[in-house]
Amino acid sequence: RAWWATALLIIPTAGLLIRTFVIMHDCSHGSFLPWQRANDVIGFITGVLTFTPFSQWRREHAIHHASSGDLDRRGVGDVTTLTVAEYQALSRMERFKYRLYRHPFVLFGIGPLHMMILQRFRLPGLTSGAQQQWNIWLTNVALVGLAATFGMTFGWKAVLLLYVPSYYLAAAGGIWLFYVQHNFEHGYWVRKDEWDATRAAIAGSSYFDLPRLLHWFTGNIGYHHIHHLASRIPNYRLREAFESSPLLQLSPRLTLWSS
């Protein structure tokens, strides 16, 4: 009944939702467990808990890994990024729209609505096949069932005052993590004929040097350069990989303050 107790619970719950999302993320790479079927099942369940259609997200994320840092293959599973020359060639209105899109209020304030609402619907196209369409609707059905179960068990007030704000905060935190891991000074951006997967991983993904507790809540996703270099390493082995090689400690480093 104490509103302040509920407010305090929102923060750790959001952290656990971020960790849940990273588990889904590992399942999409087939790295969380050695068995693909188990990864698929856990990926679907954790996807429902984080409002994410697992199969659809896995497909878009695979494209992101295959094209990160490639100026000729932007636009799928990433934050829209223009070169200076491309920005200068835009009209005044287009520049305004680009700056508005990348404004913190839009990215972190409105961005979570994309994950909550727009992921419920996806038209067939480049990243959506029949399997992905079925997965989206199956996820929606599971979400309705999950919401009904929570509502009848704990009350709709608890769902609205705890789970929804926690998810919104977690989604904003997830967008922030993804943004700073690929948008930083002197990042790696080249045209397709010059693109190199190894250089894109090491120079185009940051090492986000977080406190140990935040590394736990974020599933070690701060070791993002290692993840892009070898996506089959599960999140619980990334720190070990980082400490095993001095070369892996040379990637662009960000701290909470610098990010």
Side-chain angles (χ1 to χ4, degrees):
R1 293 181 179 181
W3 65 267
W4 56 267
T6 301
L8 289 176
L9 282 172
I10 288 173
I11 297 176
T13 303
L16 291 172
L17 282 171
I18 291 176
R19 184 171 174 83
T20 300
F21 186 91
V22 175
I23 291 174
M24 184 210 71
H25 163 269
D26 275 19
C27 289
S28 76
H29 289 287
S31 64
F32 187 66
L33 293 172
W35 312 284
Q36 186 57 49
R37 183 60 178 169
N39 283 314
D40 291 344
V41 172
I42 295 173
F44 176 79
I45 294 172
T46 51
V48 171
L49 291 171
T50 56
F51 290 36
T52 305
F54 174 67
S55 182
Q56 170 67 26
W57 189 88
R58 174 172 58 186
R59 188 169 184 173
E60 291 188 351
H61 191 62
I63 295 174
H64 161 70
H65 266 257
S67 60
S68 179
D70 188 334
L71 289 171
D72 295 318
R73 292 188 291 169
R74 288 168 286 174
V76 177
D78 54 21
V79 177
T80 301
T81 303
L82 299 179
T83 67
V84 174
E86 289 169 339
Y87 175 79
Q88 291 176 339
L90 296 176
S91 67
R92 182 173 297 181
M93 178 55 68
E94 291 298 318
R95 290 186 186 185
F96 171 76
K97 289 166 61 177
Y98 177 70
R99 293 174 68 89
L100 181 65
Y101 163 77
R102 291 172 65 94
H103 192 279
F105 174 77
V106 174
L107 280 179
F108 310 126
I110 300 177
L113 294 177
H114 167 77
M115 302 184 72
M116 294 178 70
I117 299 173
L118 296 184
Q119 286 194 116
R120 312 278 66 79
F121 311 95
R122 198 66 61 91
L123 296 175
L126 175 64
T127 63
S128 294
Q131 178 184 351
Q132 286 71 39
Q133 292 294 312
W134 276 108
N135 178 249
I136 290 170
W137 290 108
L138 187 59
T139 301
N140 293 344
V141 170
L143 273 172
V144 172
L146 182 67
T149 301
F150 280 4
M152 290 185 291
T153 305
F154 304 106
W156 290 104
K157 186 177 180 180
V159 174
L160 293 175
L161 294 183
L162 182 58
Y163 198 89
V164 172
S166 297
Y167 175 81
Y168 202 93
L169 182 61
I175 294 170
W176 170 60
L177 281 168
F178 187 82
Y179 182 88
V180 300
Q181 287 168 344
H182 292 289
N183 286 259
F184 49 86
E185 293 294 329
H186 311 298
Y188 182 84
W189 289 98
V190 296
R191 293 295 175 183
K192 184 176 181 179
D193 57 353
E194 302 174 359
W195 188 80
D196 178 79
T198 301
R199 291 188 63 191
I202 297 298
S205 305
S206 65
Y207 159 45
F208 200 5
D209 191 4
L210 295 168
R212 184 69 67 92
L213 181 62
L214 290 184
H215 268 309
W216 186 87
F217 272 115
T218 58
N220 288 321
I221 201 66
Y223 300 102
H224 208 59
H225 59 304
I226 302 177
H227 169 65
H228 265 262
L229 186 65
S231 62
R232 294 303 297 270
I233 299 176
N235 70 80
Y236 45 85
R237 300 296 297 275
L238 285 172
R239 183 179 183 86
E240 178 185 345
F242 177 79
E243 294 175 345
S244 70
S245 171
L247 288 176
L248 295 178
Q249 300 169 24
L250 299 178
S251 282
R253 176 178 173 271
L254 295 176
T255 64
L256 276 176
W257 179 253
S258 63
S259 69

